[in-house]
Amino acid sequence: MHTDSVVFIAEVSSNHNRDLERCLQFIDVSADMGCNGVKFQLFKIDELFAPEILSRSKNHRKRKDWELPTEFIPHLALRCREKEILFSCTPFYIDAVDILASYVDCFKIASYELLWDDLLSVCAHTGKPIILSTGMASMTEITRAVGTLRSSGCRDLTLLHCVSGYPAPPDQCNLAAIGTLRHNFNCPVGWSDHSVAAPVIERAVHRWGASMIEFHLDLDGKGEEFVTGHCWLPDQMKAVIHDIRTALEADGSGEKIPSSVELRERGWRADPSDGLRPLLSLRRGWNG
């Protein structure tokens, strides 16, 4: 699952509007943007919030309209295979793990579920790669979660530093924590973005070596979560992905040797015998 380049994962979240064609469009657009994968969420409101919250909060009950129909899952997995990108999904209840296990390339565990040992363990027992977001968590809580995952069989773990603010102010993103997590847990570490700020993502990659960038995507500003202000639109994020990959290509191997574009110019350097250009060897046969 891990590569030497940055993995970009588009998080559809609840912007799918329970429309299969819209879900498939998210996959197509994500592939066109240059993403390596796309992620959905599988939850049931009755198994996400406690009954005393649902009984008192109309806004929480309305999130029933955000549920992804389980019958969409095979279609989403197939389209991801056709587009040659990873299919990931976050399970928010135990039975969701079984529903997803034969379809997903990896499981994503959300920051809000980091304390739930039973869910961590069930995901790890599938043998699938695990991505764990660490928003709001202390180092003690992350250590416990990582220990639970690894003791339950997880052998391919990526941690995502995350700030669970929607949106997350750049001055609170604390990107240096990426290095802290990598040092303490000896695994790949990325950034789950809620800032919708290109400089934050670029800094996460170029300064702190984020190996994965997860970001919330909406197609057109009509998704349920776009109004909150933490979702990217396709053209915005496509430009960021392009710029980051261009910059990474510029790093090179580090070996100081003439590059291929320099080879023709080497002969036009000043000859050490008289300080004039080009080298004597080129002057003798040069016809203009």
Side-chain angles (χ1 to χ4, degrees), residues 27-288:
I27 296 169
D28 295 348
V29 168
S30 297
D32 178 68
M33 290 166 58
C35 293
N36 304 90
V38 64
K39 189 185 82 65
F40 290 82
Q41 298 180 356
L42 188 59
F43 58 82
K44 295 180 179 179
I45 289 300
D46 293 343
E47 297 195 50
L48 190 64
F49 295 108
E52 54 267 38
I53 300 299
L54 292 174
S55 66
R56 300 170 193 164
S57 173
K58 181 179 179 180
N59 284 336
H60 285 82
R61 293 195 300 273
K62 284 176 63 177
R63 294 192 189 186
K64 182 78 174 175
D65 295 334
W66 297 11
E67 294 179 356
L68 181 74
T70 56
E71 59 267 26
F72 286 10
I73 300 298
H75 301 284
L76 305 183
L78 177 60
R79 182 61 66 90
C80 284
R81 287 197 297 273
E82 291 172 349
K83 293 294 181 176
E84 298 183 336
I85 62 174
L86 298 171
F87 174 49
S88 181
C89 194
T90 298
F92 286 91
Y93 58 101
I94 296 295
D95 289 345
V97 179
D98 285 338
I99 293 170
L100 294 169
S102 61
Y103 295 105
V104 297
D105 295 295
C106 57
F107 282 106
K108 162 69 188 298
I109 299 172
S111 296
Y112 288 83
E113 276 58 50
L114 180 141
L115 302 177
W116 191 6
D117 289 350
D118 289 347
L119 181 67
L120 300 178
S121 181
V122 170
C123 287
H125 278 305
T126 66
K128 297 277 185 175
I130 304 289
I131 304 166
L132 174 65
S133 269
T134 61
M136 304 172 284
S138 67
M139 285 297 290
T140 299
E141 292 167 339
I142 299 168
T143 298
R144 176 185 174 89
V146 170
T148 298
L149 287 168
R150 287 175 168 166
S151 66
S152 299
C154 178
R155 298 293 177 264
D156 190 341
L157 174 64
T158 297
L159 296 178
L160 296 183
H161 172 47
C162 173
V163 175
S164 297
Y166 304 92
D171 64 355
Q172 295 187 39
C173 287
N174 188 26
L175 294 178
I178 293 171
T180 301
L181 293 175
R182 185 184 298 112
H183 173 76
N184 279 271
F185 299 107
N186 192 31
C187 67
V189 179
W191 166 245
S192 180
D193 183 67
H194 298 139
S195 72
V196 197
V200 170
I201 293 180
E202 291 163 356
R203 183 75 171 172
V205 172
H206 298 312
R207 172 62 180 88
W208 297 107
S211 62
M212 179 178 290
I213 298 294
E214 179 189 76
F215 63 95
H216 288 250
L217 178 68
D218 193 21
L219 296 176
D220 46 19
K222 298 178 182 178
E224 291 284 356
E225 295 191 34
F226 185 78
V227 67
T228 310
H230 64 281
C231 300
W232 291 81
L233 292 173
D235 287 347
Q236 294 174 318
M237 193 61 197
K238 184 175 183 177
V240 175
I241 294 172
H242 175 269
D243 288 351
I244 287 175
R245 289 196 168 136
T246 299
L248 291 174
E249 289 174 358
D251 283 344
S253 67
E255 183 183 4
K256 181 54 183 167
I257 57 174
S259 66
S260 59
V261 298
E262 292 180 307
L263 295 180
R264 289 184 61 184
E265 295 301 314
R266 280 170 57 82
W268 283 91
R269 293 178 294 173
D271 196 278
S273 67
D274 57 11
L276 299 176
R277 305 180 191 179
L279 297 178
L280 289 174
S281 58
L282 180 57
R283 294 180 209 175
R284 295 187 188 105
W286 191 68
N287 294 319

